[in-house]
């Protein structure tokens, strides 16, 4: 079953558009940006939200950045595997990904050679966007918000449990 963060933080009622931006220094390719755009689409299909990319990182509601190791928010990344990414409850909008992971995009390894310890970027993005919108973890194994995923697994479809959770919150 789905859950929320303590005190149920959420984006203000009536919010229909959330902007997002990528940290310019990361210089992400269109292929990588497209992964996030598809991940946002999953949630916009079941909510009133539309997600619009904006060029201004500092003005964006949702700020997406890849960092390695300690990056100044008290939750350092840990290299390959372990923590893959983290996102903070509304209205923080911070979405950080561990730049040291071997990220997989559409089945292709990004940067690294084929590795056993690889992580599907789109799957992680769909999960973290759930957190950005206010969902906690779910006890339902099929749910996107279930707190574990096996290495290299692609899991991008929202389960009924995810949809019920987000629709209860908004
Ligand atoms: N990162 C954890 C996560 O996003 C961070 C975290 C732990 C967290 N407890 C939390 C975030 C409570 C919000 C609320 O769940 S992770 C998965 C999954 C991670 C894990 O790197 O461990 C995914 C990131 F579910 F597959 F295990 C993305 Cl999809
Ligand atoms: Zn961080
Ligand atoms: Zn999580």
């Amino acid at each position: 079953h789905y859950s929320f963060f303590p005190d149920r933080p959420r984006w203000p009622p009536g919010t229909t558009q959330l902007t997002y931006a990528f940290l310019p220094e990361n210089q992400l390719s269109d292929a990588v940006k497209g992964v996030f755009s598809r991940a946002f689409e999953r949630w916009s299909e079941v909510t009133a939200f539309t997600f619009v990319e904006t060029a201004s990182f500092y003005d964006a509601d949702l700020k997406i950045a890849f960092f390695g190791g300690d990056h100044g928010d008290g939750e350092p990344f840990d290299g390959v595997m372990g923590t893959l990414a983290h996102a903070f409850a509304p209205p923080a909008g911070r979405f950080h990904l561990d730049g040291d992971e071997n990220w997989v995009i559409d089945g292709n390894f990004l940067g690294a050679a084929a590795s056993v310890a690889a992580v599907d970027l789109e799957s992680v993005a769909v999960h973290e966007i759930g957190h950005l919108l206010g969902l906690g973890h779910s006890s339902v194994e099929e749910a996107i918000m279930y707190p574990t995923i096996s290495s290299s697994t692609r899991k991008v479809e929202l389960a009924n449990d995810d949809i019920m959770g987000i629709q209860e919150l908004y």
Side-chain angles (χ1 to χ4, degrees):
H1 196 274
Y2 57 81
S3 71
F4 307 117
F5 290 98
D7 302 328
R8 276 173 84 127
R10 58 179 189 151
W11 294 92
T15 305
T16 54
Q17 181 177 295
L18 292 170
T19 58
Y20 68 92
F22 301 100
L23 184 69
E25 294 91 300
N26 285 152
Q27 298 190 20
L28 301 176
S29 67
D30 289 343
V32 174
K33 292 182 180 179
V35 168
F36 290 95
S37 150
R38 293 203 300 275
F40 281 121
E41 188 64 31
R42 303 267 175 192
W43 291 103
S44 59
E45 280 166 4
V46 300
T47 60
F49 292 113
T50 55
F51 300 95
V52 180
E53 188 184 346
T54 173
S56 172
F57 186 75
Y58 294 95
D59 292 337
D61 297 310
L62 310 174
K63 301 169 202 286
I64 303 170
F66 286 82
F67 291 118
D70 189 350
H71 52 282
D73 63 7
E75 304 205 26
F77 285 131
D78 52 5
V80 177
M81 300 313 281
T83 301
L84 314 169
H86 51 227
F88 297 81
R94 278 184 291 145
F95 177 178
H96 299 165
L97 300 106
D98 189 340
D100 291 328
E101 302 300 341
N102 298 310
W103 293 107
V104 173
I105 294 178
D106 300 329
N108 300 306
F109 290 83
L110 182 75
S115 156
V116 285
V119 187
D120 181 63
L121 180 63
E122 191 170 340
S123 306
V124 170
V126 177
H127 179 99
E128 296 303 331
I129 293 165
H131 289 318
L132 290 173
L133 296 177
L135 288 178
H137 285 148
S138 173
S139 56
V140 174
E141 204 170 333
E142 298 73 45
I144 284 289
M145 298 315 296
Y146 190 70
T148 58
I149 190 172
S150 13
S151 174
S152 311
T153 298
R154 181 174 162 81
K155 180 180 178 187
V156 295
E157 305 249 358
L158 299 184
N160 273 329
D161 183 71
D162 301 303
I163 298 169
M164 289 191 318
I166 203 70
Q167 293 187 348
E168 183 182 320
L169 191 58
Y170 291 100

